[in-house]
Amino acid sequence: MTLTITLARKVPAKAELAALAVTKETVSGAADDHLGLDWAVLNSRGFDGSIGQVQIVGGPAGPTAVLGLGEAESLSTSAFRQAGAALARAAKRHKRIGADVVDAGGDAVSKAEAAQAFAEGLELGAYTYTALKSDPEPNKLVGVTLVGAGKTITAAVAKGQAIAEGVNLARDLVNEPGGSLTPAAFARKATQVAKANKLTIKVMGLPEIKKAKLGGLLGVNRGSDQPPRFVEITYKPTGKAKGHIALVGKGVTFDSGGLSIKTGTGMMTMKCDMGGAAAVLGAVSTLSAVSPSVKVTGYIPLTDNMLGGDATRPGDVLTARNGKTIEVLNTDAEGRLILADALSLASEAKPDIIVDLATLTGACMVALGPRYAGVMGTSQDTVDAILASGGRTAERVWQLPLPPEYRSMLDSTVADVKNIGGAYGGAITAGMFLKEFVAEGQPWAHIDIAAPAFLDAPFEEHPKGGTGFGVRLLVDLIENFS
Ligand code: BES
Ligand code: MN
Ligand code: ZN
């Protein structure tokens, strides 16, 4: 947690900056309800109360950051999250700020919901990846006092901060270069997270991975000087668990494409290829704070995809954990190979549902563009739950089909299945491939986060680079599981 967020009855005198939130309606009716703000200046700067807008002007208690919440009738938690993020970005030169926003939700957004989303937004907006900068831009903001009171609001703020911390952990992991965030380094980080949050963890190294017959993971790792890891991390509720959710995350710490090598440009962002693994670890890291009454196990296969002298060759055949054989015709379709083992292992535990997250296909980016993840699966209930969670957390997800008549696109001449489909429908054929490694009858959904895991420009509460996409969605899914 980077910020100390406290509650008070009013904006304290020691705050260097006050903040308040307004809807578009407040702005257009400013003559009646002017809140003591300098509307001439606000107008001249084009402030109209749109979501995410922020302007610092003179106000009744001194300099005031005015935050836009958009239209009153479509107010949602997303507006408060974006307002928090905009404030944290705009207030970096101030040490302490006081914000009167929690009440602004009216009937649409409760005070607790507003407080949680605003606290999330503050932590998300304050995030920058500065680990490798010698002279990072200073950020003085340490404390925010929210106008509000009571246990519910206090708990909501703490929850918002815990969830944002999970998102920021995922962002850090995605932003760290592939040369330093090796599979071993990721596993060490997971071990620290487990220790700090009373989670149980099992880390398999090369010998254990061989013994467990994770042939997909071993095949992808074959061209690398870095040994693979497989992390299994578990949260157990204190009371009786009302279910068990398995989360699987693609952890390719760098994807060169292997012998089916990518282009220089295609490789530039490929440190992001463990975005699914980061989202799973980020989500699990919040659970001792959020304390849902569901057991959750994260399955995280970790390797990079390199092209050393003994790298898997196109045409090689691998045997996955569940015994199915895979003809590797393109070594750049590696994510599905390591997920094959992880989904088989997760199936063996017979959880109520399995959800995997993976930066799996460029095709999904082509289909849905930069902001949307694709979701598909064998359980429409699980897909619906994911769509509902994404709606609440403002992480955009769109369903794609898994048509049985496309299965033949994966037919191999020599093995049970090949690792690429045809020229079209690449996101779907990747999903169809994964389905082969989920036990029959096991409810499962797959979220392809290739696009939203890593952005080339800031968007809403997300910075450029690693976004931590999926962490909030997974926590919401776990909390609402029934
Ligand atoms: N990691 C990539 C997918 C990706 C692309 C993620 C762009 C984020 C941004 C994945 O391993 C990959 O290379 N997929 C191939 C599959 C193809 C060879 C069937 C792709 O999408 O081109
Ligand atoms: Mn690849
Ligand atoms: Zn990949």
Side-chain angles (χ1 to χ4, degrees):
M1 242 153 288
T2 52
L3 299 173
T4 306
I5 305 181
T6 47
L7 300 184
R9 220 118 32 98
K10 56 183 177 63
V11 173
K14 65 175 192 299
E16 294 164 18
L17 179 70
L20 55 82
V22 297
T23 61
K24 281 191 152 184
E25 285 77 358
T26 314
V27 177
S28 52
D32 310 320
D33 181 14
H34 51 73
L35 304 163
L37 296 171
D38 193 338
W39 288 101
V41 172
L42 281 171
N43 286 336
S44 72
R45 294 195 198 148
F47 181 87
D48 67 356
S50 292
I51 298 186
Q53 278 187 339
V54 53
Q55 285 296 337
I56 299 177
V57 296
T64 304
V66 190
L67 309 169
L69 292 174
E71 276 156 27
E73 62 200 36
S74 52
L75 255 192
S76 70
T77 51
S78 174
F80 286 87
R81 194 179 299 107
Q82 289 181 61
L87 177 59
R89 286 178 192 138
K92 286 189 172 145
R93 280 184 294 148
H94 304 272
K95 211 168 160 194
R96 284 173 213 293
I97 54 185
D100 188 358
V101 298
V102 166
D103 291 339
D107 296 334
V109 181
S110 74
K111 287 183 196 188
E113 287 171 329
Q116 183 189 325
F118 193 69
E120 266 176 37
L122 285 168
E123 295 281 0
L124 295 175
Y127 176 86
T128 45
Y129 184 69
T130 54
L132 306 171
K133 292 264 193 200
S134 27
D135 194 11
E137 231 179 274
N139 182 1
K140 292 192 188 151
L141 186 60
V142 292
V144 181
T145 305
L146 291 184
V147 176
K151 272 190 193 155
T152 330
I153 310 284
T154 308
V157 167
K159 187 168 154 188
Q161 284 188 283
I163 294 172
E165 202 181 355
V167 177
N168 288 340
L169 165 66
R171 290 171 170 182
D172 271 345
L173 289 166
V174 169
N175 287 329
E176 184 171 342
S180 72
L181 189 77
T182 58
F186 189 112
R188 277 196 297 276
K189 186 73 205 172
T191 305
Q192 286 168 15
V193 167
K195 269 216 181 104
N197 294 283
K198 300 195 178 70
L199 306 165
T200 50
I201 186 166
K202 189 176 121 189
V203 179
M204 288 194 261
L206 188 59
E208 294 94 342
I209 290 169
K210 281 185 177 158
K211 209 168 152 223
K213 301 200 162 129
L214 306 188
L217 181 56
L218 289 166
V220 175
N221 186 249
R222 203 164 149 171
S224 178
D225 289 347
Q226 294 292 332
R229 291 288 186 273
F230 192 101
V231 169
E232 204 180 304
I233 185 167
T234 305
Y235 160 81
K236 280 200 192 89
T238 35
K240 193 178 151 22
K242 64 176 187 197
H244 180 199
I245 299 180
L247 302 177
V248 175
K250 172 179 172 181
V252 172
T253 54
F254 180 75
D255 182 10
S256 72
L259 287 173
S260 315
I261 193 167
K262 289 184 182 294
T263 61
T265 336
M267 237 183 264
M268 282 198 298
T269 60
M270 280 304 124
K271 66 175 182 180
C272 83
D273 214 16
M274 29 55 70
V280 169
L281 185 62
V284 172
S285 79
T286 70
L287 297 182
S288 54
V290 175
S291 62
S293 47
V294 194
K295 179 181 164 186
V296 179
T297 310
Y299 296 86
I300 307 176
L302 295 155
T303 180
D304 51 7
N305 185 24
M306 302 297 278
L307 42 155
D310 194 35
T312 290
R313 301 130 180 97
D316 282 356
V317 174
L318 308 174
T319 306
R321 164 83 186 179
N322 72 349
K324 285 199 184 174
T325 54
I326 308 163
E327 185 185 12
V328 179
L329 288 178
N330 190 318
T331 62
D332 198 12
E334 84 298 340
R336 61 196 78 184
L337 302 174
I338 71 171
L339 291 170
D341 290 329
L343 289 167
S344 306
L345 269 181
S347 296
E348 288 168 29
K350 297 192 167 58
D352 294 295
I353 62 171
I354 301 177
V355 177
D356 79 71
L357 279 87
T359 47
L360 203 60
T361 66
C364 199
M365 302 177 84
V366 172
L368 300 176
R371 316 263 209 248
Y372 273 80
V375 63
M376 54 215 96
T378 52
S379 154
Q380 191 57 40
D381 285 350
T382 307
V383 169
D384 287 341
I386 288 167
L387 293 170
S389 287
R392 285 189 290 267
T393 64
E395 290 163 291
R396 292 151 179 78
V397 185
W398 196 261
Q399 185 173 7
L400 300 171
L402 288 179
E405 64 272 25
Y406 284 12
R407 170 60 183 80
S408 59
M409 293 191 200
L410 297 170
D411 286 349
S412 159
T413 1
V414 298
D416 298 334
V417 66
K418 61 184 164 84
N419 78 330
I420 46 171
Y424 302 109
I428 293 170
T429 49
M432 301 284 299
F433 179 93
L434 297 182
K435 181 171 172 281
E436 294 294 311
F437 301 90
V438 177
E440 198 67 36
Q442 166 70 53
W444 156 78
H446 154 62
I447 311 179
D448 191 332
I449 61 169
F454 198 86
L455 293 179
D456 58 13
F459 172 61
E460 295 183 346
E461 63 276 13
H462 301 300
K464 184 179 173 188
T467 59
F469 184 98
V471 171
R472 289 189 274 119
L473 188 153
L474 288 177
V475 174
D476 185 275
L477 184 76
I478 292 162
E479 277 195 280
N480 291 291
F481 179 76
S482 57

